[in-house]
Every structure is written in structure tokens, then in C-alpha cells.
Amino acid sequence: MTNALTVLITGGADGIGRVTAQRFIDSGHRVHVCDVNQEAVAQLSNDGSGITGSVGDVSSVADVERVFAELEQTYGGLDVLVNNAGIAGPTAPAEAIGTEDWDRAISVSLSGQFYCLRRAIPMLRASEYGSIVNISSNAGLFGFPLRLPYAASKWALIGMTKTLAMELGPEGIRVNAICPGSVAGPRIDGVIERDAGARGVAPEAIRKAYERQSSLRCFVEAKDVAEMVYFLTSPLGAKISGQAIGVDGHTESLSNGLE
Ligand code: NAD
């Protein structure tokens, strides 16, 4: 990488976002994260990594405005937005999903990404290397039983990605989506527990079924996703835009055969 980029990663204090932040830092870039977890942001800002952070909930327009004001004050610009913050949402049949759960899932995983990219676009226009990576999911490529709001938000992100790639491409700004498969870690452990609870089966049966969903029979690691983010935003990805790229061992289906 020749030029040091300024990168904003939402939901960057933990999980995929944190690993991605480190990937950019390790290659000499500047990273600011936004995260709703105050403690995790404080820890990150003091851990010697050089990553800076703002506490903010992406589903709040006021928070997003403050995060970008702090970013501008700290770095004066932005080259890369990694729209990563997203929540799992409820695990339940569609008719049992409450309005509040629906609204919360959509407001974090879809509206939050919109609020951030809307605010980022003018800053990316001023960059020679502007690009956006939206973190969707393999649930954005398949139907996903019992996870309606999650799947709906992740499909919507791909529509947003393709539309924005067309709007911004003539100005040299690239927009891509990454669709991770199940990432090993505490978040997927929670998803497995809830899925097992909703179906009345043992968590181990769900874990095995999730592994069987991919041709490579695997979970992915956060670093697999981080490397793809890095590639897409680097000169190696200079001609890639409007894509929804699976990092998932090739998902064959999200129907887990337990019905
Ligand atoms: P995670 O829960 O491990 O970490 C997400 C981070 O986002 C946390 O630090 C959390 O505090 C923060 N966050 C949550 N709500 C927020 C909000 N409203 N505003 C700002 N920050 C917020 O999640 P993860 O597994 O690293 O997932 C990151 C992204 O990858 C999400 O969009 C998720 O849907 C997607 N994804 C994850 C998996 C997986 O298996 N983990 C698979 C496919 C896609």
C-alpha cells in the first residue's frame, strides 16, 4: 500500500470490526472506530494500537453526526467507510416477531448503514481513493428461516451497494458488499443457542448443521473477512465495484435441514 488511508469502521470495537481495524493499522493506515459499547471504545483508545474511537449508536442520526464531526476533527478527511455495525435481531417465526424487535434490527443493520454512508459520501468525494464496504451476510444471498429482519436488512444492503456503485462510480468511488458466512466466535455461539432454543434441539446439532451449510464445511474467521475488506479497498481492488462477495466457504443453503 503506497498511501496511508483514513478508515472509519462502524461497530469496530469488537468482532470482525476490531480485527479489520487492526489489519489496517498493521499496514500503516489511520483507523477511527465508532461503537455503541462505551467500555470497549475506551479500552481500544488506550491499548496502544493507535486506533481512535467515538462512542455512538449508528441507528441514531445525532450520534452519527457527532461521530463524523469527531472523525473530521481528528483526521480532516475519510478515504474508506467500512459499514460493519449490525445486530443479529430476533430468532423466531415471522408472526411471532414483535414490532420493537423488527424496528431495532432494521434501524441498526440497515438505517444505520444508510446514515453513515450518507454522511461519508461528501468526504469520500474529496479523497483520491474513496470506497465503501458494506458488511452484509450470506443471509443477504439466501432465505434464512427464523431470521426475517436480519435476512431482509442484509438483502437490502446489497441493493444499496449496487445502487450506490452506479451513483458514485463515475466519480471514482467504489462500493462493495461482503457476505460472510458464520464467523467463529461468541456472536455465532449466541445465534446457535437461540436457534437451538427456538427449535427445541441441542446446540451441537445446530452447530453441525451450520457447518454443513457450506461446501467447505467450515465457519470463517474474522480475519478472513478483514483480509477481503483490505483487498477491496487497496489498489488490488481498484476495478472492483458493485459486488456482493461471499467469504463463506461457499454457502449452499441456509435451510439447515432440521425442520
Ligand atoms: P459483534 O457482535 O461481535 O460485534 C459488533 C460490534 O458492533 C460490537 O462491538 C458492538 O458493540 C457494535 N455495535 C452493535 N450495535 C451497534 C450500534 N447500534 N452502533 C454501533 N455499534 C454497534 O458482531 P460481528 O460478528 O463482528 O458482526 C459484524 C458484522 O458482520 C455485522 O453486520 C454482522 O451482521 C455481520 N456478519 C456477522 C456474521 C457472524 O457470524 N458473526 C456473519 C455474517 C455477517
Side-chain angles (χ1 to χ4, degrees):
M1 173 67 66
T2 45
N3 294 283
L5 303 174
T6 300
V7 183
L8 174 65
I9 304 176
T10 67
D14 204 353
I16 294 170
R18 176 64 183 88
V19 174
T20 303
Q22 196 61 46
R23 178 65 181 88
F24 280 98
I25 286 285
D26 290 346
S27 294
H29 302 288
R30 300 175 284 262
V31 180
H32 193 76
V33 305
C34 143
D35 203 291
V36 75
N37 184 335
Q38 195 171 350
E39 211 177 303
V41 172
Q43 201 179 338
L44 192 66
S45 307
N46 293 313
D47 69 1
S49 62
I51 299 168
T52 56
S54 296
V55 178
D57 180 339
V58 294
S59 71
S60 154
V61 174
D63 279 16
V64 168
E65 188 49 48
R66 184 176 39 73
V67 167
F68 275 84
E70 289 172 10
L71 171 76
E72 268 175 323
Q73 203 172 17
T74 309
Y75 297 105
L78 179 67
D79 300 294
V80 173
L81 169 66
V82 184
N83 241 336
N84 167 71
I87 56 173
T91 302
E95 73 275 18
I97 294 173
T99 308
E100 263 183 36
D101 281 348
W102 169 268
D103 287 348
R104 182 70 191 148
I106 297 298
S107 71
V108 175
S109 301
L110 178 58
S111 303
Q113 300 217 8
F114 166 65
Y115 299 152
C116 292
L117 66 85
R118 174 174 71 173
R119 188 61 180 72
I121 288 168
M123 296 176 80
L124 298 178
R125 279 204 179 102
S127 160
E128 210 181 320
Y129 309 98
S131 83
I132 299 174
V133 178
N134 295 318
I135 304 298
S136 176
S137 166
N138 56 0
L141 301 169
F142 294 87
F144 196 1
L146 306 182
R147 297 286 300 283
L148 186 63
Y150 186 72
S153 68
K154 295 303 188 182
W155 276 78
L157 287 181
I158 295 175
M160 206 152 75
T161 299
K162 289 192 173 286
T163 302
L164 274 179
M166 294 169 81
E167 287 188 21
L168 301 176
E171 299 176 79
I173 299 171
R174 298 177 301 102
V175 187
N176 290 290
I178 296 177
C179 301
S182 297
V183 175
R187 176 180 161 127
I188 201 68
D189 294 345
V191 168
I192 287 170
E193 286 289 334
R194 290 191 292 278
D195 200 354
R199 295 170 191 278
V201 299
E204 206 40 41
I206 297 287
R207 185 177 297 280
K208 288 222 157 50
Y210 279 17
E211 278 175 2
R212 282 197 304 273
Q213 288 168 346
S214 74
S215 302
L216 292 178
R217 304 287 190 260
C218 65
F219 283 4
V220 305
E221 301 292 329
K223 76 171 175 37
D224 299 324
V225 182
E227 290 296 344
M228 182 56 77
V229 175
Y230 191 80
F231 178 89
L232 288 173
T233 60
S234 79
L236 292 171
K239 300 290 160 52
I240 304 173
S241 193
Q243 303 304 305
I245 299 172
V247 178
D248 63 345
H250 184 232
T251 306
E252 297 173 6
S253 163
L254 288 177
S255 163
N256 61 22
L258 288 165
E259 290 74 17

